[in-house]
Amino acid sequence: MTRGTRATIIQGGRAKAYRPMAAADRRAAFDAGLEAYERGDVFLAHELLEPAWMGTPDLAERELIQGLIKLAGDAGEPTGVDVPTLLAAIEDRLAAPIDVGAPPIPVRGRARG
């Protein structure tokens, strides 16, 4: 879908920004965002992940990246999400061949604080 000169994609029933980005560039942005998370620089993580989120038409990829962006926005607030465990599980899942029967990624753990 295109509004004027701005491309959008329907995600969660709403039009969201879509700025096409090559897969290799999205992966580099994703990796840089995770590295910023690991260093504790959650604002930078948010900024680095956003172009990767806007750059993919794949809804599952968008949901994953948007979830990480939301975690960055909630930094400092106890969410019950064990971010290091979540990031490790995501990295493992991204590195593995697709397995539709794989168990869900665990996201609950100790509260951050």
Side-chain angles (χ1 to χ4, degrees):
M1 169 186 278
T2 304
R3 282 189 190 159
T5 59
R6 298 282 187 172
T8 61
I9 191 166
I10 302 300
Q11 180 184 358
R14 297 177 49 204
K16 301 286 185 164
Y18 175 52
R19 311 288 182 267
M21 179 183 266
D25 294 335
R26 287 194 319 269
R27 181 60 197 229
F30 184 81
D31 289 344
L34 293 184
E35 288 170 10
Y37 252 124
E38 289 171 358
R39 290 190 311 271
D41 192 343
V42 293
F43 178 80
L44 180 60
H46 177 280
E47 294 299 309
L48 293 169
L49 290 168
E50 196 165 51
W53 168 69
M54 289 191 297
T56 181
D58 181 272
L59 292 179
E61 185 177 348
R62 289 179 71 89
E63 293 290 338
L64 169 69
I65 296 170
Q66 186 177 31
L68 292 172
I69 290 169
K70 286 180 178 182
L71 283 174
D74 291 340
E77 297 293 323
T79 61
V81 176
D82 182 348
V83 175
T85 299
L86 175 61
L87 294 178
I90 290 168
E91 282 293 319
D92 290 346
R93 194 63 63 87
L94 289 173
I98 294 175
D99 178 3
V100 294
I105 294 174
V107 296
R108 292 285 172 201
R110 67 188 185 294
R112 293 181 297 153

